[in-house]
Amino acid sequence: RFFERYGWRPLTAGEKADVAAFWIEVGTAMKLRDIPPTFEAFEAFNVAFEEAKFRFAPSNRVVADATVKLMTRQLAFLEPCVVALLDEPLRIALGYPPAPRWLRSLLETALTFRALAHRHLTPPRLFAPVRRTPPSSHSSDPCKNGDTANARFFPLFSVYGRAYAKSGYTIATLGPEAGLLGSFQRPPKTPP
C-alpha cells in the first residue's frame, strides 16, 4: 500500500505477480498452509487479518520502539516521521499517539512530490543499477542450481564495513548470531 501511494508509478501486473510469487516461496519455506495464491488475494488476506487481529499489547510497543530506533539510529530526529507514516490501525496496535496533523501532511506532500518528480523529471536509466551483491559468474554457483541456502554472496559494499569482504556470506550466517549488532548478540551456545 505504501508503494502504491508514494511510489513513482503503480506496480504493473507482472510486478504484482512477482511479489506474490516471492511471498508464496517464503511461506512455503516456512511450511505455512493456505498461502494466498495471488497479489490480490494477499491484499485481501492482509486487510482482513488487520481488521480481525490488530490489537494493542505492551509487547507490540516494545518491538516497535526497537525497530524504529534501529531504522533511525543514525538520524534519531526521524523517529517521529516514521511513526507519522504508519497506517492508522497499525499506529493504534503499536500504541503510538497520533502524529501532529502538520507533520503527517508535510510528509505525505513531500513523498507525493518526490514520486511526481521521479516520474516526470528524471531521465530514463541508461545503465542497469549497481547491485550490492552481484550474481556470481562461477559455474559452481549454487544459486544457478536453485540452491540459495548454500550460496555464498560477496557484496560490493556493506553497511557493516568489511565484515564479509573476504569470505562472503551465506543467508544462514546473517542475523544477530553473526555478532554484527553488538548488544543484540546472543551468548554462544554451549555444546551438550
Side-chain angles (χ1 to χ4, degrees), residues 9-26:
R9 63 167 172 74
L11 293 173
T12 65
E15 289 168 334
K16 288 180 179 181
D18 288 344
V19 168
F22 172 80
W23 288 110
I24 289 168
E25 189 69 29
V26 169

Side-chain angles (χ1 to χ4, degrees), residues 141-163:
D141 182 4
C143 282
K144 290 187 178 182
N145 303 327
D147 183 15
T148 56
N150 295 313
R152 185 161 290 282
F153 300 95
F154 295 87
L156 295 173
F157 63 91
S158 171
V159 295
Y160 298 112
R162 302 190 53 80

Side-chain angles (χ1 to χ4, degrees), residues 56-73 76 78-80 82-83 86 90-91 93-97 184:
F56 173 73
S59 58
N60 296 353
R61 182 62 183 266
V62 171
V63 173
D65 284 345
T67 303
V68 170
K69 285 189 186 323
L70 185 64
M71 289 172 56
T72 61
R73 79 175 178 210
L78 291 178
E79 285 183 29
V82 172
V83 174
L86 296 175
L90 180 59
R91 182 195 63 75
L94 298 176
Y96 287 115
F184 292 98

Side-chain angles (χ1 to χ4, degrees), residues 38-159:
T38 65
F39 183 88
E40 293 74 19
F42 267 105
E43 179 68 14
F45 173 82
N46 182 259
V47 169
F49 182 88
E50 287 180 3
E51 289 173 0
K53 303 289 185 181
F54 272 22
R55 302 288 180 272
F56 173 73
S59 58
N60 296 353
R61 182 62 183 266
V62 171
V63 173
D65 284 345
T67 303
V68 170
K69 285 189 186 323
L70 185 64
M71 289 172 56
T72 61
R73 79 175 178 210
Q74 299 297 324
L75 303 167
F77 67 91
L78 291 178
E79 285 183 29
C81 298
V82 172
V83 174
L85 290 172
L86 296 175
D87 289 338
E88 193 66 7
L90 180 59
R91 182 195 63 75
I92 292 168
L94 298 176
Y96 287 115
R101 177 177 237 121
W102 67 265
L103 179 59
R104 189 163 177 86
S105 295
L106 176 71
L107 292 170
E108 288 175 354
T109 301
L111 288 169
T112 300
F113 275 119
R114 180 209 165 272
L116 290 171
H118 189 67
R119 181 181 303 137
H120 299 293
L121 300 177
T122 57
R125 289 182 177 159
L126 299 176
F127 305 99
V130 175
R131 294 172 53 156
R132 268 185 69 184
T133 306
S136 174
S137 60
H138 301 294
S139 59
S140 62
D141 182 4
C143 282
K144 290 187 178 182
N145 303 327
D147 183 15
T148 56
N150 295 313
R152 185 161 290 282
F153 300 95
F154 295 87
L156 295 173
F157 63 91
S158 171
V159 295

